């Protein structure tokens, strides 16, 4: 994964400085050599010299590791020469054994570097695929402020089976968030198909049920052509479709087996979970069911919707406890979408220790307040976790101005 992905997930593992390890290896060689010389003749510390090339290989390449290995072999020979037993069978065996072990360490270092280069190429391809597949959502879409976040569960990939998209229509804005069964690269094909189908169909269907039916047909055709026989009937996609009209303070939602979003009310009005009437997931016979329904919820200026995939609420800590998203988000309800997702990301990574069990996708959607309230909101925009005052804190003057 790229540097940006490591910063998001907190998975970067710092490696010791190569110069420090070289110094440690040199000091070990000197200490082991001197200790072997000054100790009684029946105590042999020379074989411990193999530690030096092993430590060096942790941060350096094959050439440096080989040089440290050769220095260790020379130190072992010096110990034998100093004790006047260089040509004895015992010292000869020790020198040969140390040389063989050092050569093995160098060979492993070569293999490791080759694998590292291959992994870097795979990650580069995965990052390119993500940029092509998951187009970045715009910061603004009509009267909406948007922010998105994607965290892949697999170290080797920057993308998996979670997906999101947004489209501006003549009547407002439409959004999609979904989750393909499975994770990692095998789920990318279905995610790409659904995203392409949504970006086209979002402009051709006036109602969300018709849009869901169109996506169902696209998924069904794809599965008929590409679904493995051993997985027949087991591939599906959960999806949540939203429509936010420009001229009404509401949001319309159609759920195809997807988890309900969180509605964060403005001015500390709390967090609620809408009671949706979900239809079956896409790919399992939506056309044969009664059809998806449309749930209409109030969504006024300053309100925020937090859309997410089940990888968020199913994330566990080391004790097996699920991530309490509904309980954690009220403290950040007043934040701008980008800052809200930043808080959730940091808290989620802290909860799981940086190891996600499933892919995670989140979208924060906020309807912009009126012009006067927007000026106050810009003054009160939440600081990022690194920056400072507690989320939602408001200066006294701004509260009076709002009132």
């Amino acid at each position: 994964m790229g540097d940006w992905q490591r910063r998001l997930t907190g998975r970067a593992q710092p490696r010791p400085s190569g110069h420090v390890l070289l110094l440690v290896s040199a000091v070990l060689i000197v200490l082991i050599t001197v200790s072997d010389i000054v100790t009684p003749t029946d105590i042999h510390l020379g074989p411990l010299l193999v530690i030096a090339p092993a430590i060096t290989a942790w941060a350096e390449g094959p050439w440096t590791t080989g040089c440290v290995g050769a220095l260790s072999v020379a130190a072992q020979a010096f110990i034998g020469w100093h004790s006047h037993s260089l040509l004895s069978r015992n010292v000869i065996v020790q020198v040969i054994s140390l040389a063989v072990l050092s050569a093995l360490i160098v060979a492993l270092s070569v293999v490791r570097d080759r694998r590292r280069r291959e992994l870097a190429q795979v990650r580069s391809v995965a990052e390119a695929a993500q940029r092509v597949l998951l187009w970045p959502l715009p910061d603004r879409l009509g009267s909406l402020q948007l922010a998105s976040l994607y965290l892949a569960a697999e170290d080797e990939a920057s993308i998996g089976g979670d997906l999101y998209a947004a489209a501006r229509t003549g009547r407002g804005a439409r959004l999609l968030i979904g989750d393909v069964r499975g994770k990692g690269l095998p789920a990318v094909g279905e995610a790409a198909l659904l995203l392409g189908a949504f970006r086209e169909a979002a402009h051709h269907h006036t109602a969300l049920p018709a849009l869901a039916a169109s996506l169902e047909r696209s998924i069904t055709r794809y599965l008929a052509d590409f679904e493995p026989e051993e997985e027949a009937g087991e591939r599906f996609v959960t999806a949540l479709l939203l429509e936010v009209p420009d001229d009404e303070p509401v949001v319309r939602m159609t759920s195809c087996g997807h988890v309900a979003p969180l509605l964060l009310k403005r001015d500390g009005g709390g967090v609620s979970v809408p009671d949706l009437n979900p239809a079956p997931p896409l790919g399992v016979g939506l056309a044969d069911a009664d059809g998806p329904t449309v749930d209409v919820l109030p969504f006024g200026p300053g309100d925020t919707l937090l859309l997410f995939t089940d990888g968020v609420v199913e994330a566990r800590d080391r004790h097996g406890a699920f991530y309490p998203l509904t309980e954690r988000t009220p403290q950040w309800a007043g934040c701008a979408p980008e800052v809200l997702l930043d808080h959730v990301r940091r808290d989620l990574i802290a909860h799981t220790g940086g190891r996600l069990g499933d892919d995670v996708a989140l979208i924060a959607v906020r309807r912009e307040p009126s012009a006067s309230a927007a000026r106050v909101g810009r003054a009160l925009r939440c600081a990022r976790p690194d920056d400072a005052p507690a989320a939602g804190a408001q200066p006294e003057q701004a509260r009076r101005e709002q009132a």
Side-chain angles (χ1 to χ4, degrees), residues 216 237-239 255-258 277-292:
E216 166 71 17
V237 183
T238 66
S255 173
C256 297
H258 199 79
N277 298 290
L282 302 176
V284 297
L286 178 61
D288 300 330
D290 295 335

Side-chain angles (χ1 to χ4, degrees), residues 348-371:
L348 178 63
I349 294 303
H351 180 82
T352 61
R355 305 303 304 179
L356 298 173
D358 195 3
D359 299 333
V360 165
L362 299 104
I363 304 177
V365 184
R366 184 180 187 183
R367 188 189 287 274
E368 290 186 339
S370 61

Side-chain angles (χ1 to χ4, degrees), residues 178-390:
D179 186 358
V180 178
R181 181 183 179 273
K183 62 182 180 180
L185 296 179
V188 171
E190 292 175 52
L193 172 86
L194 186 60
L195 286 171
F198 170 80
R199 288 165 183 155
E200 181 63 25
H203 301 279
H204 295 287
H205 298 281
T206 57
L208 289 182
L211 175 57
S214 175
L215 298 179
E216 166 71 17
R217 290 191 294 270
S218 298
I219 290 292
T220 301
R221 286 193 297 266
Y222 174 86
L223 294 179
D225 293 334
F226 299 103
E227 185 178 35
E229 294 183 2
E230 64 274 11
E231 296 185 12
E234 298 182 4
R235 304 289 289 273
F236 58 84
V237 183
T238 66
L240 181 64
L241 299 169
L242 293 90
E243 182 178 75
V244 184
D246 292 334
D247 54 356
E248 298 179 69
V250 299
V251 57
R252 302 184 180 96
M253 288 184 279
T254 290
S255 173
C256 297
H258 199 79
V259 292
L262 299 184
L263 177 60
L264 288 68
K265 300 297 291 184
R266 64 186 181 277
D267 300 330
V271 176
S272 61
V273 181
D275 186 14
L276 304 183
N277 298 290
L282 302 176
V284 297
L286 178 61
D288 300 330
D290 295 335
T293 59
V294 177
D295 296 284
V296 182
L297 300 172
F299 186 52
D303 292 346
T304 301
L305 274 170
L306 181 61
L307 319 178
F308 54 91
T309 55
D310 57 9
V312 179
V313 292
E314 294 179 359
R316 299 172 181 262
D317 63 11
R318 59 189 181 91
H319 302 294
F322 292 110
Y323 178 66
L325 179 66
T326 307
E327 290 74 21
R328 297 288 179 85
T329 49
Q331 60 184 314
W332 309 312
C335 295
E338 183 180 0
V339 180
L340 169 63
L341 293 190
D342 197 37
H343 281 288
V344 173
R345 173 187 63 81
R346 291 171 180 268
D347 198 45
L348 178 63
I349 294 303
H351 180 82
T352 61
R355 305 303 304 179
L356 298 173
D358 195 3
D359 299 333
V360 165
L362 299 104
I363 304 177
V365 184
R366 184 180 187 183
R367 188 189 287 274
E368 290 186 339
S370 61
S372 59
R375 288 193 296 270
V376 176
R378 281 192 292 270
L380 306 178
R381 186 178 298 265
C382 289
R384 290 182 180 274
D386 290 342
D387 296 336

Side-chain angles (χ1 to χ4, degrees), residues 32 111 116 153 155-156 207 268 276 303 399:
I32 293 173
V111 173
R116 186 179 294 166
D155 291 341
E156 294 80 7
L276 304 183
D303 292 346
R399 285 198 295 269

